[in-house]
Amino acid sequence: AQFRYIQRLLLVHGRWNYRRAAKFTLYSFWKNSVLVMLMFYYNFISGNTGTSLFENWVRASYNIILAAPIISVGIFDRDVEAKDAIEHPELYDTGRRGMDLNTMKLVETLLSSMVHSVVMMVMMALALPHFTEDGVGDYYTFGTAIFVWLVITMNYRVAFLTTTWNILVITGLAISFGLLLLFLGIYCFVQWGIQSFSPWMYFVPAKMVMVPVFWIGCFVAPALATVIDIFKAYLLLEFAPDL
């Protein structure tokens, strides 16, 4: 009787939890790699001045804003139905052999983050002259626009990784975008608190949304990420399929 549920515990919940943990870990590594690489590339664009692409508090909000979606996936995602996992016990080999979280997966994730960050860097370099032409060439506005593109792309990535769509995953994505708007609204528009934070960020989002290229980037950034991820998924499915 003590081992009554051990088959379901291992074959179903063991696989689910392993794959969830792998997705959570690799995504967290990926999103922070993209952020750091963009800041590294910007150092060359700014003439090696050491200026950060993102304002300090904006950068500090990154992981907080992006937490809810991947936590939702890490708790509720199911790549196979329980019935299928029990009927096909060989699926448990994925976790037993460490196929989803190993050194090669980390290298693959790092290379993926490099490709995505290079694409974002090209967009960043192409967008910079347009911000200057529209009279909002300060780097706070420019950096905040890139940050918004980055958040949109990161949340797209969570959507791409999601197998089980439910109200909780959708709520996680909604919370992320809601936190972004709330943070920018409080940090950049509330006068009573601006002196406690950064006066130079006052009304930055209002200037940012006046630049047409900002809205173009909101669609182009996740679209390019989609193309990259679909191509990568095709190559892996064709040449290195897993269980």
Side-chain angles (χ1 to χ4, degrees):
Q2 295 180 15
F3 300 100
R4 181 179 177 184
Y5 301 106
I6 194 168
Q7 182 186 40
R8 183 178 179 86
L9 180 66
L10 288 176
L11 300 184
V12 178
H13 296 286
R15 177 182 170 86
W16 284 350
N17 289 335
Y18 171 73
R19 301 213 77 173
R20 291 166 181 166
K23 283 185 179 182
F24 183 92
T25 302
L26 293 176
Y27 168 81
S28 299
F29 177 66
W30 179 84
K31 72 179 172 66
N32 284 292
S33 296
V34 174
L35 176 73
V36 171
M37 288 179 188
L38 276 179
M39 295 169 63
F40 174 72
Y41 301 147
Y42 183 74
N43 186 55
F44 298 99
I45 294 176
S46 64
N48 297 305
T49 61
T51 303
S52 175
L53 172 60
F54 307 113
E55 194 271 341
N56 290 337
W57 281 98
V58 171
R59 185 178 70 251
S61 70
Y62 184 69
N63 284 308
I64 297 173
I65 289 173
L66 294 174
I70 193 59
I71 289 175
S72 300
V73 172
I75 295 175
F76 302 108
D77 197 51
R78 300 177 178 182
D79 67 314
V80 296
E81 294 296 328
K83 176 175 67 68
D84 296 327
I86 292 175
E87 291 177 355
H88 302 280
E90 64 272 13
L91 293 175
Y92 182 69
D93 274 356
T94 301
R96 187 177 64 82
R97 294 162 56 189
M99 296 171 65
D100 284 344
L101 190 59
N102 51 51
T103 302
M104 287 306 298
K105 284 291 183 181
L106 287 172
V107 172
E108 176 190 315
T109 301
L110 180 61
L111 293 175
S112 174
S113 66
M114 290 176 65
V115 172
H116 281 85
S117 65
V118 167
V119 171
M120 289 289 292
M121 179 201 66
V122 172
M123 285 186 57
M124 183 171 67
L126 293 175
L128 181 57
H130 295 279
F131 277 84
T132 304
E133 290 170 3
D134 288 320
V136 287
D138 65 288
Y139 94 95
Y140 296 110
T141 304
F142 178 67
T144 304
I146 303 302
F147 183 79
V148 173
W149 294 352
L150 196 57
V151 169
I152 294 173
T153 303
M154 297 301 107
N155 280 334
Y156 144 75
R157 175 74 171 190
V158 172
F160 184 82
L161 294 173
T162 300
T163 305
T164 305
W165 281 94
N166 53 45
I167 189 62
L168 297 170
V169 174
I170 295 172
T171 300
L173 289 167
I175 288 174
S176 179
F177 287 116
L179 284 175
L180 174 64
L181 296 176
L182 181 65
F183 168 71
L184 292 178
I186 293 176
Y187 187 44
C188 303
F189 290 100
V190 178
Q191 295 188 50
W192 56 265
I194 199 66
Q195 295 299 325
S196 301
F197 294 109
S198 307
W200 46 83
M201 287 296 294
Y202 187 59
F203 253 69
V204 160
K207 295 189 294 180
M208 176 183 70
V209 299
M210 297 300 292
V211 183
V213 75
F214 164 74
W215 296 105
I216 295 173
C218 288
F219 293 97
V220 172
L224 290 175
T226 303
V227 172
I228 295 169
D229 286 338
I230 290 177
F231 181 66
K232 174 192 168 187
Y234 167 77
L235 292 178
L236 290 176
L237 185 63
E238 187 71 21
F239 300 106
D242 60 8
L243 293 176

PDB file of all heavy atoms in Angstrom, residues 9-31:
ATOM      1  N   LEU A   9       3.651   8.663  -9.524  1.00  0.00           N
ATOM      2  CA  LEU A   9       4.566   9.669  -8.988  1.00  0.00           C
ATOM      3  C   LEU A   9       5.804   9.813  -9.866  1.00  0.00           C
ATOM      4  O   LEU A   9       6.250  10.929 -10.170  1.00  0.00           O
ATOM      5  CB  LEU A   9       4.960   9.298  -7.557  1.00  0.00           C
ATOM      6  CG  LEU A   9       5.913  10.262  -6.840  1.00  0.00           C
ATOM      7  CD1 LEU A   9       5.240  11.599  -6.619  1.00  0.00           C
ATOM      8  CD2 LEU A   9       6.370   9.669  -5.516  1.00  0.00           C
ATOM      9  N   LEU A  10       6.353   8.684 -10.292  1.00  0.00           N
ATOM     10  CA  LEU A  10       7.570   8.722 -11.104  1.00  0.00           C
ATOM     11  C   LEU A  10       7.286   9.059 -12.561  1.00  0.00           C
ATOM     12  O   LEU A  10       7.869   9.995 -13.132  1.00  0.00           O
ATOM     13  CB  LEU A  10       8.285   7.367 -11.019  1.00  0.00           C
ATOM     14  CG  LEU A  10       8.967   7.021  -9.698  1.00  0.00           C
ATOM     15  CD1 LEU A  10       9.533   5.613  -9.750  1.00  0.00           C
ATOM     16  CD2 LEU A  10      10.077   8.024  -9.387  1.00  0.00           C
ATOM     17  N   LEU A  11       6.399   8.290 -13.174  1.00  0.00           N
ATOM     18  CA  LEU A  11       6.195   8.411 -14.621  1.00  0.00           C
ATOM     19  C   LEU A  11       5.472   9.686 -15.023  1.00  0.00           C
ATOM     20  O   LEU A  11       5.741  10.242 -16.096  1.00  0.00           O
ATOM     21  CB  LEU A  11       5.416   7.191 -15.139  1.00  0.00           C
ATOM     22  CG  LEU A  11       6.079   5.825 -14.923  1.00  0.00           C
ATOM     23  CD1 LEU A  11       5.248   4.725 -15.559  1.00  0.00           C
ATOM     24  CD2 LEU A  11       7.498   5.822 -15.488  1.00  0.00           C
ATOM     25  N   VAL A  12       4.564  10.157 -14.193  1.00  0.00           N
ATOM     26  CA  VAL A  12       3.777  11.351 -14.532  1.00  0.00           C
ATOM     27  C   VAL A  12       4.394  12.600 -13.903  1.00  0.00           C
ATOM     28  O   VAL A  12       4.929  13.461 -14.587  1.00  0.00           O
ATOM     29  CB  VAL A  12       2.305  11.191 -14.102  1.00  0.00           C
ATOM     30  CG1 VAL A  12       1.517  12.461 -14.427  1.00  0.00           C
ATOM     31  CG2 VAL A  12       1.675   9.989 -14.791  1.00  0.00           C
ATOM     32  N   HIS A  13       4.336  12.667 -12.580  1.00  0.00           N
ATOM     33  CA  HIS A  13       4.809  13.877 -11.900  1.00  0.00           C
ATOM     34  C   HIS A  13       6.329  14.012 -11.982  1.00  0.00           C
ATOM     35  O   HIS A  13       6.848  15.139 -12.031  1.00  0.00           O
ATOM     36  CB  HIS A  13       4.340  13.864 -10.442  1.00  0.00           C
ATOM     37  CG  HIS A  13       2.856  13.916 -10.307  1.00  0.00           C
ATOM     38  ND1 HIS A  13       2.118  15.063 -10.539  1.00  0.00           N
ATOM     39  CD2 HIS A  13       1.956  12.937 -10.000  1.00  0.00           C
ATOM     40  CE1 HIS A  13       0.830  14.802 -10.352  1.00  0.00           C
ATOM     41  NE2 HIS A  13       0.704  13.524 -10.026  1.00  0.00           N
ATOM     42  N   GLY A  14       7.028  12.890 -12.030  1.00  0.00           N
ATOM     43  CA  GLY A  14       8.481  12.964 -12.188  1.00  0.00           C
ATOM     44  C   GLY A  14       8.867  13.612 -13.502  1.00  0.00           C
ATOM     45  O   GLY A  14       9.741  14.480 -13.545  1.00  0.00           O
ATOM     46  N   ARG A  15       8.215  13.177 -14.597  1.00  0.00           N
ATOM     47  CA  ARG A  15       8.511  13.781 -15.903  1.00  0.00           C
ATOM     48  C   ARG A  15       8.071  15.232 -15.950  1.00  0.00           C
ATOM     49  O   ARG A  15       8.822  16.107 -16.392  1.00  0.00           O
ATOM     50  CB  ARG A  15       7.822  12.990 -17.008  1.00  0.00           C
ATOM     51  CG  ARG A  15       8.022  13.619 -18.393  1.00  0.00           C
ATOM     52  CD  ARG A  15       7.298  12.869 -19.481  1.00  0.00           C
ATOM     53  NE  ARG A  15       7.323  13.632 -20.731  1.00  0.00           N
ATOM     54  CZ  ARG A  15       8.316  13.587 -21.623  1.00  0.00           C
ATOM     55  NH1 ARG A  15       9.377  12.844 -21.387  1.00  0.00           N
ATOM     56  NH2 ARG A  15       8.244  14.297 -22.730  1.00  0.00           N
ATOM     57  N   TRP A  16       6.840  15.507 -15.519  1.00  0.00           N
ATOM     58  CA  TRP A  16       6.334  16.881 -15.558  1.00  0.00           C
ATOM     59  C   TRP A  16       7.265  17.827 -14.802  1.00  0.00           C
ATOM     60  O   TRP A  16       7.653  18.880 -15.322  1.00  0.00           O
ATOM     61  CB  TRP A  16       4.946  16.935 -14.934  1.00  0.00           C
ATOM     62  CG  TRP A  16       3.842  16.406 -15.809  1.00  0.00           C
ATOM     63  CD1 TRP A  16       3.925  16.068 -17.129  1.00  0.00           C
ATOM     64  CD2 TRP A  16       2.502  16.139 -15.400  1.00  0.00           C
ATOM     65  NE1 TRP A  16       2.711  15.614 -17.577  1.00  0.00           N
ATOM     66  CE2 TRP A  16       1.813  15.649 -16.541  1.00  0.00           C
ATOM     67  CE3 TRP A  16       1.808  16.267 -14.205  1.00  0.00           C
ATOM     68  CZ2 TRP A  16       0.465  15.292 -16.504  1.00  0.00           C
ATOM     69  CZ3 TRP A  16       0.467  15.911 -14.171  1.00  0.00           C
ATOM     70  CH2 TRP A  16      -0.202  15.433 -15.305  1.00  0.00           C
ATOM     71  N   ASN A  17       7.604  17.472 -13.580  1.00  0.00           N
ATOM     72  CA  ASN A  17       8.408  18.373 -12.747  1.00  0.00           C
ATOM     73  C   ASN A  17       9.821  18.545 -13.291  1.00  0.00           C
ATOM     74  O   ASN A  17      10.398  19.637 -13.216  1.00  0.00           O
ATOM     75  CB  ASN A  17       8.456  17.864 -11.305  1.00  0.00           C
ATOM     76  CG  ASN A  17       7.124  18.024 -10.603  1.00  0.00           C
ATOM     77  OD1 ASN A  17       6.325  18.876 -10.961  1.00  0.00           O
ATOM     78  ND2 ASN A  17       6.871  17.189  -9.604  1.00  0.00           N
ATOM     79  N   TYR A  18      10.381  17.484 -13.842  1.00  0.00           N
ATOM     80  CA  TYR A  18      11.718  17.598 -14.423  1.00  0.00           C
ATOM     81  C   TYR A  18      11.706  18.554 -15.620  1.00  0.00           C
ATOM     82  O   TYR A  18      12.563  19.444 -15.728  1.00  0.00           O
ATOM     83  CB  TYR A  18      12.235  16.233 -14.864  1.00  0.00           C
ATOM     84  CG  TYR A  18      13.520  16.322 -15.662  1.00  0.00           C
ATOM     85  CD1 TYR A  18      14.727  16.631 -15.040  1.00  0.00           C
ATOM     86  CD2 TYR A  18      13.526  16.142 -17.045  1.00  0.00           C
ATOM     87  CE1 TYR A  18      15.907  16.744 -15.757  1.00  0.00           C
ATOM     88  CE2 TYR A  18      14.696  16.251 -17.777  1.00  0.00           C
ATOM     89  CZ  TYR A  18      15.881  16.554 -17.135  1.00  0.00           C
ATOM     90  OH  TYR A  18      17.038  16.674 -17.854  1.00  0.00           O
ATOM     91  N   ARG A  19      10.753  18.393 -16.514  1.00  0.00           N
ATOM     92  CA  ARG A  19      10.705  19.242 -17.704  1.00  0.00           C
ATOM     93  C   ARG A  19      10.365  20.691 -17.345  1.00  0.00           C
ATOM     94  O   ARG A  19      10.876  21.623 -17.952  1.00  0.00           O
ATOM     95  CB  ARG A  19       9.694  18.691 -18.708  1.00  0.00           C
ATOM     96  CG  ARG A  19      10.026  17.274 -19.161  1.00  0.00           C
ATOM     97  CD  ARG A  19       9.623  17.000 -20.571  1.00  0.00           C
ATOM     98  NE  ARG A  19      10.567  17.604 -21.510  1.00  0.00           N
ATOM     99  CZ  ARG A  19      10.520  17.407 -22.821  1.00  0.00           C
ATOM    100  NH1 ARG A  19       9.584  16.629 -23.342  1.00  0.00           N
ATOM    101  NH2 ARG A  19      11.394  17.973 -23.622  1.00  0.00           N
ATOM    102  N   ARG A  20       9.510  20.877 -16.342  1.00  0.00           N
ATOM    103  CA  ARG A  20       9.203  22.229 -15.872  1.00  0.00           C
ATOM    104  C   ARG A  20      10.458  22.905 -15.312  1.00  0.00           C
ATOM    105  O   ARG A  20      10.750  24.063 -15.620  1.00  0.00           O
ATOM    106  CB  ARG A  20       8.126  22.183 -14.788  1.00  0.00           C
ATOM    107  CG  ARG A  20       6.741  21.790 -15.254  1.00  0.00           C
ATOM    108  CD  ARG A  20       5.880  21.450 -14.053  1.00  0.00           C
ATOM    109  NE  ARG A  20       4.538  21.034 -14.421  1.00  0.00           N
ATOM    110  CZ  ARG A  20       3.701  20.433 -13.584  1.00  0.00           C
ATOM    111  NH1 ARG A  20       4.069  20.191 -12.328  1.00  0.00           N
ATOM    112  NH2 ARG A  20       2.494  20.085 -13.981  1.00  0.00           N
ATOM    113  N   ALA A  21      11.187  22.161 -14.474  1.00  0.00           N
ATOM    114  CA  ALA A  21      12.407  22.719 -13.872  1.00  0.00           C
ATOM    115  C   ALA A  21      13.438  23.041 -14.939  1.00  0.00           C
ATOM    116  O   ALA A  21      14.140  24.062 -14.855  1.00  0.00           O
ATOM    117  CB  ALA A  21      12.990  21.738 -12.854  1.00  0.00           C
ATOM    118  N   ALA A  22      13.548  22.179 -15.959  1.00  0.00           N
ATOM    119  CA  ALA A  22      14.499  22.423 -17.037  1.00  0.00           C
ATOM    120  C   ALA A  22      14.128  23.683 -17.815  1.00  0.00           C
ATOM    121  O   ALA A  22      14.988  24.522 -18.124  1.00  0.00           O
ATOM    122  CB  ALA A  22      14.550  21.216 -17.974  1.00  0.00           C
ATOM    123  N   LYS A  23      12.849  23.835 -18.145  1.00  0.00           N
ATOM    124  CA  LYS A  23      12.395  25.033 -18.857  1.00  0.00           C
ATOM    125  C   LYS A  23      12.664  26.287 -18.031  1.00  0.00           C
ATOM    126  O   LYS A  23      13.170  27.297 -18.548  1.00  0.00           O
ATOM    127  CB  LYS A  23      10.899  24.944 -19.172  1.00  0.00           C
ATOM    128  CG  LYS A  23      10.539  24.049 -20.324  1.00  0.00           C
ATOM    129  CD  LYS A  23       9.050  24.121 -20.633  1.00  0.00           C
ATOM    130  CE  LYS A  23       8.680  23.230 -21.808  1.00  0.00           C
ATOM    131  NZ  LYS A  23       7.238  23.323 -22.144  1.00  0.00           N
ATOM    132  N   PHE A  24      12.324  26.226 -16.749  1.00  0.00           N
ATOM    133  CA  PHE A  24      12.516  27.379 -15.860  1.00  0.00           C
ATOM    134  C   PHE A  24      13.984  27.775 -15.788  1.00  0.00           C
ATOM    135  O   PHE A  24      14.340  28.958 -15.912  1.00  0.00           O
ATOM    136  CB  PHE A  24      11.982  27.043 -14.468  1.00  0.00           C
ATOM    137  CG  PHE A  24      12.068  28.171 -13.488  1.00  0.00           C
ATOM    138  CD1 PHE A  24      11.002  29.052 -13.323  1.00  0.00           C
ATOM    139  CD2 PHE A  24      13.209  28.373 -12.723  1.00  0.00           C
ATOM    140  CE1 PHE A  24      11.081  30.112 -12.426  1.00  0.00           C
ATOM    141  CE2 PHE A  24      13.299  29.421 -11.827  1.00  0.00           C
ATOM    142  CZ  PHE A  24      12.230  30.289 -11.675  1.00  0.00           C
ATOM    143  N   THR A  25      14.855  26.794 -15.598  1.00  0.00           N
ATOM    144  CA  THR A  25      16.290  27.069 -15.440  1.00  0.00           C
ATOM    145  C   THR A  25      16.900  27.625 -16.719  1.00  0.00           C
ATOM    146  O   THR A  25      17.612  28.634 -16.693  1.00  0.00           O
ATOM    147  CB  THR A  25      17.028  25.782 -15.020  1.00  0.00           C
ATOM    148  OG1 THR A  25      16.462  25.278 -13.808  1.00  0.00           O
ATOM    149  CG2 THR A  25      18.503  26.053 -14.810  1.00  0.00           C
ATOM    150  N   LEU A  26      16.631  26.975 -17.848  1.00  0.00           N
ATOM    151  CA  LEU A  26      17.229  27.403 -19.113  1.00  0.00           C
ATOM    152  C   LEU A  26      16.693  28.758 -19.551  1.00  0.00           C
ATOM    153  O   LEU A  26      17.446  29.591 -20.062  1.00  0.00           O
ATOM    154  CB  LEU A  26      16.977  26.345 -20.192  1.00  0.00           C
ATOM    155  CG  LEU A  26      17.691  25.005 -19.984  1.00  0.00           C
ATOM    156  CD1 LEU A  26      17.285  24.023 -21.060  1.00  0.00           C
ATOM    157  CD2 LEU A  26      19.209  25.190 -19.968  1.00  0.00           C
ATOM    158  N   TYR A  27      15.403  28.995 -19.341  1.00  0.00           N
ATOM    159  CA  TYR A  27      14.841  30.303 -19.702  1.00  0.00           C
ATOM    160  C   TYR A  27      15.451  31.412 -18.853  1.00  0.00           C
ATOM    161  O   TYR A  27      15.791  32.481 -19.372  1.00  0.00           O
ATOM    162  CB  TYR A  27      13.323  30.295 -19.533  1.00  0.00           C
ATOM    163  CG  TYR A  27      12.708  31.678 -19.607  1.00  0.00           C
ATOM    164  CD1 TYR A  27      12.456  32.290 -20.831  1.00  0.00           C
ATOM    165  CD2 TYR A  27      12.403  32.391 -18.449  1.00  0.00           C
ATOM    166  CE1 TYR A  27      11.915  33.564 -20.901  1.00  0.00           C
ATOM    167  CE2 TYR A  27      11.861  33.657 -18.510  1.00  0.00           C
ATOM    168  CZ  TYR A  27      11.617  34.237 -19.732  1.00  0.00           C
ATOM    169  OH  TYR A  27      11.094  35.511 -19.788  1.00  0.00           O
ATOM    170  N   SER A  28      15.588  31.169 -17.558  1.00  0.00           N
ATOM    171  CA  SER A  28      16.168  32.187 -16.675  1.00  0.00           C
ATOM    172  C   SER A  28      17.603  32.515 -17.095  1.00  0.00           C
ATOM    173  O   SER A  28      18.005  33.688 -17.115  1.00  0.00           O
ATOM    174  CB  SER A  28      16.142  31.699 -15.221  1.00  0.00           C
ATOM    175  OG  SER A  28      14.813  31.469 -14.789  1.00  0.00           O
ATOM    176  N   PHE A  29      18.360  31.491 -17.438  1.00  0.00           N
ATOM    177  CA  PHE A  29      19.723  31.691 -17.930  1.00  0.00           C
ATOM    178  C   PHE A  29      19.709  32.459 -19.248  1.00  0.00           C
ATOM    179  O   PHE A  29      20.509  33.381 -19.455  1.00  0.00           O
ATOM    180  CB  PHE A  29      20.394  30.325 -18.099  1.00  0.00           C
ATOM    181  CG  PHE A  29      21.786  30.383 -18.673  1.00  0.00           C
ATOM    182  CD1 PHE A  29      22.826  30.960 -17.971  1.00  0.00           C
ATOM    183  CD2 PHE A  29      22.049  29.854 -19.928  1.00  0.00           C
ATOM    184  CE1 PHE A  29      24.110  31.024 -18.508  1.00  0.00           C
ATOM    185  CE2 PHE A  29      23.335  29.902 -20.472  1.00  0.00           C
ATOM    186  CZ  PHE A  29      24.357  30.489 -19.761  1.00  0.00           C
ATOM    187  N   TRP A  30      18.792  32.108 -20.126  1.00  0.00           N
ATOM    188  CA  TRP A  30      18.699  32.723 -21.462  1.00  0.00           C
ATOM    189  C   TRP A  30      18.353  34.212 -21.370  1.00  0.00           C
ATOM    190  O   TRP A  30      19.007  35.049 -21.997  1.00  0.00           O
ATOM    191  CB  TRP A  30      17.645  31.972 -22.271  1.00  0.00           C
ATOM    192  CG  TRP A  30      17.419  32.491 -23.655  1.00  0.00           C
ATOM    193  CD1 TRP A  30      18.135  32.199 -24.778  1.00  0.00           C
ATOM    194  CD2 TRP A  30      16.392  33.397 -24.078  1.00  0.00           C
ATOM    195  NE1 TRP A  30      17.622  32.859 -25.865  1.00  0.00           N
ATOM    196  CE2 TRP A  30      16.546  33.601 -25.462  1.00  0.00           C
ATOM    197  CE3 TRP A  30      15.350  34.046 -23.406  1.00  0.00           C
ATOM    198  CZ2 TRP A  30      15.718  34.426 -26.198  1.00  0.00           C
ATOM    199  CZ3 TRP A  30      14.514  34.876 -24.131  1.00  0.00           C
ATOM    200  CH2 TRP A  30      14.695  35.054 -25.509  1.00  0.00           C
ATOM    201  N   LYS A  31      17.320  34.541 -20.600  1.00  0.00           N
ATOM    202  CA  LYS A  31      16.865  35.936 -20.566  1.00  0.00           C
ATOM    203  C   LYS A  31      17.903  36.862 -19.935  1.00  0.00           C
ATOM    204  O   LYS A  31      18.068  38.009 -20.376  1.00  0.00           O
ATOM    205  CB  LYS A  31      15.520  36.067 -19.857  1.00  0.00           C
ATOM    206  CG  LYS A  31      15.513  35.880 -18.354  1.00  0.00           C
ATOM    207  CD  LYS A  31      14.103  36.063 -17.799  1.00  0.00           C
ATOM    208  CE  LYS A  31      14.012  35.708 -16.341  1.00  0.00           C
ATOM    209  NZ  LYS A  31      14.784  36.606 -15.461  1.00  0.00           N
TER     210      LYS A  31
END
